[in-house]
Amino acid sequence: MDKTVPDLAAAVAGIEDGMVLMVGGFGGSGAPIELIHALIDRFKATGSPKNLTVVNNNAGNGRIGIAAMIDAGMVAKIVCSFPRSADPRAFTEKYLAGEIGLELVPQGTLAERIRAGGAGIPAFYTPASFGTDVAKGKPVAEFDGKSYVQERWLKADAALIKAEMADTMGNLTYRKAARNFSPLMAAAAKLTIVQATNIVAPGEIDPEQVVTPGIFVNRVVEVAGAKQEEALMRDGVAYA
Amino acid sequence: MDKTVPDLAAAVAGIEDGMVLMVGGFGGSGAPIELIHALIDRFKATGSPKNLTVVNNNAGNGRIGIAAMIDAGMVAKIVCSFPRSADPRAFTEKYLAGEIGLELVPQGTLAERIRAGGAGIPAFYTPASFGTDVAKGKPVAEFDGKSYVQERWLKADAALIKAEMADTMGNLTYRKAARNFSPLMAAAAKLTIVQATNIVAPGEIDPEQVVTPGIFVNRVVEVAGAKQEEALMRDGVAYA
Amino acid sequence: MSQKLSNAQIAWRAAQDIADGAYVNLGIGFPEMVAKFQPPGRQAIFHTENGVLNFGEAPPAGEEDWDLINAGKKAITLKPGAAFFHHADSFGMVRGGHLDVAILGTYEVAENGDLANWSTGPKGVPAVGGAMDLVHGAKRVAVITDHVTKDGKPKLVKRCTLPLTGVGCVTRVYSSLAVIDIEGGRFVLREKLPSMSVEELQAVTGAELVLPDMIGDLIAPEV
Amino acid sequence: MSQKLSNAQIAWRAAQDIADGAYVNLGIGFPEMVAKFQPPGRQAIFHTENGVLNFGEAPPAGEEDWDLINAGKKAITLKPGAAFFHHADSFGMVRGGHLDVAILGTYEVAENGDLANWSTGPKGVPAVGGAMDLVHGAKRVAVITDHVTKDGKPKLVKRCTLPLTGVGCVTRVYSSLAVIDIEGGRFVLREKLPSMSVEELQAVTGAELVLPDMIGDLIAPEV
């Protein structure tokens, strides 16, 4: 029961063409930059994985992380709530050229769909988006006199997650607001891959402070000096 | 923004006849015995509250806690998954005599319905109970070739919750497995009343370790030497 | 109609209606300004969609922690009694009716409470964020807005023409000229600039104003 | 048919199929016994519905912490790497397919995979607990059971007569006489007591046994 892997390349093995890939983080907070860049490295070396569907709140910023995946040509479609950022060029250019797909999902619905995917709830009703263009084509129903939209669960073949602390069994904590979508995605993916700032032995994380139990985690790799998206942006880094 | 109240009587004020009352705990773990007994005290003194619908995983044990509420004649109906215990007489006798109602809900469905109540999800689908007597009369639907039962949210007028630590703004932690249903119930009730072993100033609970954020909590009362149901059972205590 | 409230004054006016201890979500951009104008002695608890309750002002430049941001991706600080939680719990708070107030910006708001604040039409890249969730569940959904567009057209309209964010969700509008409640599918005028007549206000409003017996003066300090 | 496995031996046999690192839920009562028989060198992680992963054996009498219990309300201990979580997250693990194995007791199990283990009929107080959730989601749902009732009637049947816990959910049965897979709506015999003929086994089984080329010997040590 040791889920640690030796390096980033081993961590991202098995992510293949056409997969649905969830990526944790909200903007740069919680973005697993090093895992993403390891996946880009593999693509550059082997031409795979491509045609990915990427699920994230956003659609990349600058020329790093998800934006660099888009620039590299690995992404067929983005599922997100807010495909804008300080520098959204990577997505915007391809979107306006019709070269990348977009499924726009209200943020709370996105979170709840992912949570439902992890929790075995195939569908649920939410008031969000009722009566709007975003709800077009979706079933609606009335409960207690109010109208709701039916939404389906969202699952992934793999998830890339950034944690603060991990034990070797995959129990995780997150740093401040960096948890955002990550605990949900860890549960909704078949293959959950975690970069942690610090890997410790089982028992070193207080069981009451575990945010993501190890049952949701498949691989853990230590990335001690993980880069923050905002810092890379200011340094003008372009990865693709 | 100080949610503390001076004593148990003040804590349980406003719980009235006919209300739906959620009570945290799984068996004795997390059972807010002192809040329940304060409510019984009020009933004995004033004849109210009665005709309560009580939501808990179980239906009381021995002659204390929820069982004592039943004995006292305060409970019209129990919503639970498992109305059995080491000593289930209080419920069993009234149930077999037709003097108390029972809505039997599979445990995971009970948890998810309460979670849905707190999270504004009026209905969801679960595989649990499909094709069984428990699902009779409930809508069913097929998703991706599998059949599911539609379940509705469950909300309460009030919830009684036992926490380990609370700050004066109502942020809570729980002790070990005593959290069970409590974070869900705290969110699903209009009036959430908490007994905490220890009340501290805002800032003394690490924001990453808050399990129930204060937004879900209305009142907090300190009960330093809270009794465990199992200890009271062994001492043969009868409260009603 | 030479006079109108500045954005800061609109935000100030909206802030006066936030009670001590209220849980509040302020939309990205202009609405964030409301936090600055909490009346003395009152402490609202601010919620941000990405999983923080009880955050405070931006840190000094250079002291940002980029794991500690708000929904607008701006660096924030914490106040004592803060809490972190994941996105599903965060939107559970929103949809579940736990917020006392959500204050949003808008392109258009209609007399039936419909709100259009996420899209100006089919061109460009659509982005909705949390707005479609925020308009449901908060006990009070208010908008703050200039009363008219830059071209002088009414933003308070009979029916929205832009894509909707939510149906029948707005209960109060704080504009640069007036405070208006939405009740029974109508705009009910509560306060207006004292320098302005009802007729002048009606002329720049896209739906009929219901006039109660008492209409207050909308007065904001220089802020 | 004088011979059969004891409950402990049935539990032992079920334990042999639990891989190292598997996440496992053991039903209340008899199935809890499976934990005792983990083969050396393997470590399963046990889940209990009330919100604990990776718990261990009962503490010595007098050292119980009644905030640390399992779904059967028995005191437990923690192993290193344990985690606590609330009930909705706990059943998210169950329904969401995150458990590798759930092992349950039963009154009846049918060749179509239907399970009846929660009610013996309309009299008395009904109680379902987590069973109706546990039968869905675990990658493998197995039952451990005596092959026949105390009256000698088959517990493995063509169709359940008692109220169902779940439809088509069981994939393997460990009985006192045999190991049987449920595949394509049929009982497929995998192992039987060597002392027993197929005909003898069929005679105490309520539905036809499919007989593959290879049928193993069901042998358990004295435990």
Side-chain angles (χ1 to χ4, degrees), chain D:
Chain D
M1 199 194 71
S2 59
Q3 198 196 347
K4 64 166 197 168
L5 298 191
S6 68
N7 276 0
Q9 287 176 308
I10 300 171
W12 176 89
R13 177 62 192 83
Q16 305 314 301
D17 289 347
I18 298 177
D20 185 38
Y23 290 90
V24 181
N25 184 294
L26 302 176
I28 293 176
F30 173 23
E32 291 178 44
M33 198 187 281
V34 172
K36 282 193 203 170
F37 298 113
Q38 286 184 78
R42 294 193 211 165
Q43 191 199 355
I45 293 97
F46 293 104
H47 166 269
T48 184
E49 292 95 306
N50 54 312
V52 189
L53 263 177
N54 209 19
F55 66 94
E57 293 181 11
E63 292 181 27
E64 298 91 350
D65 179 338
W66 294 109
D67 283 341
L68 188 55
I69 60 176
N70 66 12
K73 318 263 165 41
K74 298 201 191 82
I76 56 175
T77 54
L78 295 183
K79 296 183 190 167
F84 294 114
F85 35 87
H86 62 53
H87 248 88
D89 283 350
S90 182
F91 280 91
M93 290 176 195
V94 171
R95 274 188 320 260
H98 303 285
L99 294 172
D100 294 297
V101 193
I103 299 181
L104 304 166
T106 194
Y107 298 138
E108 291 178 330
V109 56
E111 65 173 355
N112 59 1
D114 288 1
L115 178 70
N117 79 346
W118 75 283
S119 171
T120 53
K123 65 178 189 303
V125 178
V128 61
M132 287 192 181
D133 305 276
L134 278 169
V135 297
H136 297 284
K139 295 187 185 84
R140 204 158 64 78
V141 176
V143 298
I144 55 175
T145 180
D146 222 316
H147 203 85
V148 297
T149 66
K150 281 172 188 152
D151 305 336
K153 288 185 190 131
K155 296 184 76 170
L156 286 74
V157 295
K158 191 146 183 69
R159 291 293 179 270
C160 291
T161 58
L162 292 171
L164 293 184
T165 307
V167 170
C169 52
V170 177
T171 56
R172 178 163 264 207
V173 181
Y174 301 97
S175 84
S176 51
L177 304 179
V179 177
I180 290 170
D181 282 336
I182 294 176
E183 290 177 12
R186 308 290 300 278
F187 287 135
V188 180
L189 181 62
R190 295 295 174 199
E191 297 176 16
K192 63 170 186 56
L193 291 185
S195 61
M196 196 171 202
S197 72
V198 166
E199 291 69 28
E200 286 172 315
L201 187 67
Q202 181 65 71
V204 293
T205 305
E208 192 187 340
L209 293 168
V210 175
L211 305 173
D213 290 344
M214 178 91 123
I215 298 172
D217 284 339
L218 173 57
I219 301 174
E222 291 302 318
V223 287

Side-chain angles (χ1 to χ4, degrees), chain B residues 92-135:
Chain B
T92 302
E93 287 165 11
K94 279 209 162 56
Y95 178 76
L96 296 178
E99 292 168 15
I100 195 167
L102 171 65
E103 181 180 347
L104 191 72
V105 184
Q107 196 173 133
T109 300
L110 182 63
E112 191 67 13
R113 287 179 63 193
I114 298 169
R115 192 246 169 211
I121 302 292
F124 61 89
Y125 289 91
T126 175
S129 90
F130 177 79
T132 76
D133 293 349
V134 170

Side-chain angles (χ1 to χ4, degrees), chain A residues 25-200:
Chain A
F26 181 87
S29 172
I33 295 290
E34 284 75 9
L35 285 174
I36 297 171
H37 288 180
L39 203 60
I40 295 173
D41 291 346
R42 182 148 74 82
F43 174 77
K44 283 185 189 167
T46 69
S48 177
K50 60 184 181 298
N51 292 326
L52 296 171
T53 294
V54 171
V55 182
N56 179 266
N57 186 64
N58 303 101
N61 193 8
R63 298 292 184 198
I64 51 172
I66 290 173
M69 285 179 73
I70 295 171
D71 276 339
M74 301 165 69
V75 183
K77 183 181 169 185
I78 293 269
V79 180
C80 77
S81 87
F82 204 77
R84 289 189 199 146
S85 61
D87 176 5
R89 276 176 297 165
F91 177 80
T92 302
E93 286 165 10
K94 279 208 161 52
Y95 178 77
L96 296 178
E99 292 167 14
I100 194 166
L102 170 66
E103 181 180 347
L104 191 73
V105 184
Q107 196 172 132
T109 299
L110 182 63
E112 192 66 12
R113 288 179 63 193
I114 298 168
R115 191 245 169 213
I121 301 292
F124 60 89
Y125 290 90
T126 174
S129 90
F130 177 79
T132 75
D133 292 350
V134 170
K136 272 184 186 155
K138 293 178 183 169
V140 297
E142 198 173 291
F143 297 99
D144 309 333
K146 193 174 161 182
S147 295
Y148 296 87
V149 178
Q150 186 192 93
E151 296 281 355
R152 294 297 312 278
W153 61 14
L154 193 55
K155 300 188 186 200
D157 297 296
L160 304 182
I161 300 295
K162 182 181 185 180
E164 173 70 358
M165 198 148 40
D167 70 23
T168 56
M169 296 175 75
N171 292 300
L172 308 181
T173 68
Y174 300 91
R175 186 168 178 277
K176 301 188 177 180
R179 73 172 77 172
N180 51 68
F181 284 91
S182 295
L184 312 171
M185 290 178 169
K190 280 197 209 89
L191 173 65
T192 295
I193 302 165
V194 175
Q195 66 170 75
T197 304
N198 189 17
I199 298 182
V200 299

